[in-house]
Amino acid sequence: AYDIGFGGLDHILSTNENIKILVLDTEVYSNTGGQASKSSKMGQVAEFANEGKKTFKKDLFRIAMAYPNCYVASVSLGANYFQTIKAFKEADAHNGPSIIIAYSPCVEQGIKGGMTNSLDEQKLSVEAGYNLLMRYNPDEEKLYLDSKEPDFSLYEKFINNERRYKTLLEKDENLAKELLTKQIEFAKKRYEYYEKIAN
């Protein structure tokens, strides 16, 4: 959806047809071994990005929101169950294209303690501002920023819970810290951008 399938996704969203799309965003190519893609975040170690990905993640929410009649939501079931259900209901009710981007931890991320901790990690991702919970309803021309103001001081704690980021820290501490700083700056700017639109 972010990378090699984006052309098809973009075409569907542009048709104004009543089509519903669910993107399970694992931030890697989970089905083919965990390679880096345009959904991978800066500093993340994955196949084809052994020294950490050097570019920012594509903002699929922002791109989809540019279509006049497209319902867009960013959800994380483990972080906020009720916001997820609300988004699914709204997406289904919308007469036109709807896309839900669901943050979906997978085994390739190497969460500390295994996948049994994935719900806690999803909550932390939102609290730290790594991930944002949002809904854009074109019928109202309104963006709902469902995330509370993030505590960016928790960002590094979130990063250190995942092997995909810890690997770079062990390989090259200076590079890891440099990319982490850039990633946090980008996360802050992204939150400020959506907060401004939501007000």
Side-chain angles (χ1 to χ4, degrees):
Y2 277 82
D3 209 322
I4 57 175
F6 177 72
L9 179 67
D10 182 62
H11 177 72
I12 289 168
L13 295 179
S14 73
T15 62
N16 201 32
E17 294 291 330
N18 193 24
I19 298 171
K20 313 303 171 191
I21 302 162
L22 175 62
V23 176
L24 301 177
D25 184 8
T26 63
E27 298 192 325
V28 287
Y29 281 125
S30 298
N31 60 332
T32 55
Q35 296 90 347
S37 84
K38 291 188 184 86
S39 72
S40 304
K41 288 221 179 180
M42 178 177 279
Q44 178 177 329
V45 171
E47 196 172 338
F48 306 133
N50 291 327
E51 298 300 320
K53 186 168 174 268
K54 306 296 191 299
T55 55
F56 294 108
K57 177 178 179 173
K58 177 191 273 187
D59 194 343
L60 190 56
F61 191 102
R62 193 167 174 176
I63 293 167
M65 198 171 67
Y67 284 108
N69 188 36
C70 185
Y71 177 90
V72 194
S74 172
V75 305
S76 181
L77 188 66
N80 192 323
Y81 177 83
F82 294 106
Q83 188 263 356
T84 303
I85 298 301
K86 189 177 180 85
F88 270 75
K89 282 184 166 183
E90 290 176 349
D92 186 53
H94 176 62
N95 184 23
S98 296
I99 180 168
I100 294 176
I101 303 158
Y103 182 66
S104 305
C106 78
V107 69
E108 294 294 341
Q109 293 175 356
I111 295 170
K112 192 177 182 180
M115 289 301 289
T116 53
N117 293 328
S118 67
L119 295 181
D120 290 335
E121 191 70 347
Q122 286 178 67
K123 286 175 189 165
L124 184 57
S125 78
V126 173
E127 289 169 8
Y130 180 92
N131 188 25
L132 296 178
L133 305 181
M134 307 179 285
R135 294 169 293 117
Y136 174 71
N137 193 330
D139 297 327
E140 303 171 26
E141 294 185 356
K142 185 167 175 60
L143 174 71
Y144 294 92
L145 187 52
D146 297 317
S147 293
K148 293 177 183 174
E149 186 172 350
D151 180 357
F152 291 103
S153 69
L154 296 172
Y155 208 98
E156 193 167 0
K157 180 184 177 184
F158 170 82
I159 292 292
N160 288 337
N161 279 347
E162 305 205 359
R163 172 50 50 194
R164 58 181 171 153
Y165 291 111
K166 287 269 290 182
T167 298
L168 184 60
L169 194 63
E170 291 162 4
K171 282 183 177 181
D172 189 333
E173 188 177 351
N174 290 334
L175 178 60
K177 287 183 176 176
E178 179 191 332
L179 295 180
L180 173 62
T181 300
K182 285 182 179 178
Q183 193 185 144
I184 293 172
E185 285 172 4
F186 180 77
K188 286 177 179 176
K189 285 178 183 175
R190 185 169 186 256
Y191 176 75
E192 286 165 9
Y193 170 80
Y194 285 113
E195 186 184 34
K196 201 176 288 183
I197 294 174
N199 290 336

